[in-house]
Every structure is written in structure tokens, then in C-alpha cells.
Amino acid sequence: MAVTHHAVLREVLAHPEVAKNACHFAALHDGTVPPGWPLTTFATVDGMTTADGADHRRLRGLVTKVFTPRRVAALRPRVVELTAGLLDGLPGAAAADGTVDLRRHFAYPLPMSVICELLGVDAALRDRLHELSNLIVGTTGTADEVQAANREITAVLGQVAEARRAGPGDDLTSALIAAQEEDGDRLSARELVGTLLLMIIAGHETTLNLITNAVRALCTGREQLELVRAGRATWDDVVEETLRHDSPVAHFPFRYPVRDLELGGTVVPRGTPMPASYSAAGRGPEAYGADADRFDVTRRPATRHLSFGHGPHYCLGAPLARLEATVALEALFTRYPALDLAVPDAELPPHQSFTGNSTHVLPVRLTG
């Protein structure tokens, strides 16, 4: 049962009787969900995304202690540097017809490089981690392939954690290992790997989709790009409107009512898995008016979008995603002001994912 209405989703995200721990997922424990179900690992991984109450506060507190606004702000020069390097390389990535897949050659490597450098993950592992992430959140792999991907990514991140234990560095994984609450509560080995898994997937897949979706919106609505160039809107406005209008996360599983709950006029039975449908909520006319389907960088909605969540599980990576996207978009359209789609928008294939919302490719011409 997906939650699509903005007001109901906002209520669900902060409701004290809606849990994230899969111990409340009734069908997972009564035999209804078959063995080998591809989403089992995603729903049961140890970490902040599946923790509630005091356990969630402990895990979030440990991450918050080291993933600080100051650490994120300090990344700006590196984000600018990486962005410039990728822009330099775009002409060389063009196919024979002059088109470049901007998703593959720009929107993907920027956030993946940033999150892996932040976590102390070797550059040689990045492409494989991306491939595994796509299998885990994708809809094209078989059950066996998804299970194998889960095992492999868990093993790889376990090796990253052990390497950082043996030789700590100036990275977030080392800081997480060293982080300790005043009462001595530490991340367990499984919780650490679960946290790294969350940060790798969410730390690059969502920003990849955000940059892709923003470029697509600006290319199909050139008048919106001109508003930014004329100073009537900012790149921050572009990012926020993209988050609302075309949320990088379509659905995020799962939340479970701990008792029968009436939500939006519907009684949801205890233990029913509810995906949070961020992309649907962002287009709700009840929240954003009759023109909610229109991309408008000058929009000043009274209702804030929910694309980074709401309540106790609000995304810790939101400042980093905003930083990467604003830097990337401004630099991209400054360097290549005539950049445009190389195919009609309607021909862009959707990204096949049960969480992500974007296109599978974004072919562009750098000179229009």
C-alpha cells in the first residue's frame, strides 16, 4: 500500500506508531513472502533505515557526530574540482554522432567520486559498487542475481571497514569506527556495513537522479533556464523545484503500522508494508495547486517538498546532495550554455528501479 498523498505521507513519515524495523513486517514472518524475495535484504539490513526509537537515535547520533555540516561545507572545493575535470572530459566522451550520455559521464561519476572519497573507498571499487547498487535497487535482475549482488556488496564494504580499522584515515568510515557515544555505545560490525551500504547507495544514486532530472527539465523548458540566467531564479531554486517536481526517489520501502491505523481515511492493518511515494507527493495538486505538474523555478510553495523525507528519518545527506547538484548544474550550463537533449524527451527510457525516478540515459549535444 503506497502512500502518495502529500499530507498523508508527511503524517506517516513522522507518525510515532509507524515503524521501519522489519520485525513489524507481518508477511515477512508468516510465510507469505517467499524465501529469496529480492527486497528482503533491503528491508532487513542493519542500519538507520531499518531502526526505530532509541536504536535509531543511537545510530543516527553516531553518524551525525562525524557527518557534520562543517565536513560537508569543506567538500565544496573538491566538488568544484571534480566537476571541472568531468566537464573537461565530456567532449572526449562523445559518440561518433556527437552525443554524450550525460548521466553516465557526468551525473554519475560526480556523486560517486564524492561519496567514495568521503568514505575512504578505493577508486577501483567504484564502478563495481555502482553496478551492484543498480542490481539491488533495480527491477531487471533475477532473484538469484539480486541476492548475489547483496552478498557481494556486503562483503566488499566489510573489507572496506576492516581496512579502515587496520589503517584509519581522514575519512568518514574511520571516523564512524572511532565514534563513540558518552555511554560507550559503538556501531556493531553489521551496523557499520549497513550504514556504509546506505551511504553508498543513497549517497550517489539519489544525486545522480537529481542532476539528471534537473538537466532534463531545463532542456525541455528552456524558458526556465533563461529565468536563472536573467537572475530571476537561482540554482538553488532549480534544485528545490526538481526535488519537488521530479523527485529522485520514486518509492522508498518500507514503513509498517505497529497497530491498525487510520491514515488518510483508510484503515491500514498492522504490519502492512507501506512504500513512501515521494515522486507522487511532489505532484499533488492539493499541496502545490492545479499546476503541480509544471516545472517552475520561480515557484514559492507554502508547502515544503518531502523528497528528503520528514521527521526522525530526514535524510542526513540532504546538504551534500544540494551542494553537489547546485555546483554541477551551474558549472555545466556555464561551460556548455547551448547544451540540449539529443533525442526527443518522450523517447528517453525510464530508469528501471523500484526506488529511483529518472531516465536510464540522458543523451545530449554539448553545442546544442
Side-chain angles (χ1 to χ4, degrees), residues 33 53 58 74 81 114 154 277 279 337 365:
V33 174
R58 174 180 63 86
E81 180 183 14
V114 171
T154 299
S277 296
S279 56
R365 287 191 172 86

Side-chain angles (χ1 to χ4, degrees), residues 1-5 8-22 24-27 37 39 42-43 49 249-264 266-278 354-355:
M1 180 179 291
V3 185
T4 60
H5 190 282
V8 179
L9 178 57
R10 192 174 191 276
E11 178 187 5
V12 165
L13 295 177
H15 201 295
E17 293 181 295
V18 174
K20 295 206 73 180
N21 193 309
H24 300 284
F25 187 173
W37 184 54
L39 300 192
F42 198 92
T49 58
V249 176
H251 311 286
F252 197 89
F254 291 109
R255 282 172 165 80
Y256 321 94
V258 299
R259 64 174 178 84
D260 293 356
L261 284 180
E262 183 174 338
L263 299 167
T266 299
V267 175
V268 182
R270 177 181 64 85
T272 301
M274 299 185 297
S277 296
Y278 297 109
F354 68 82
T355 59

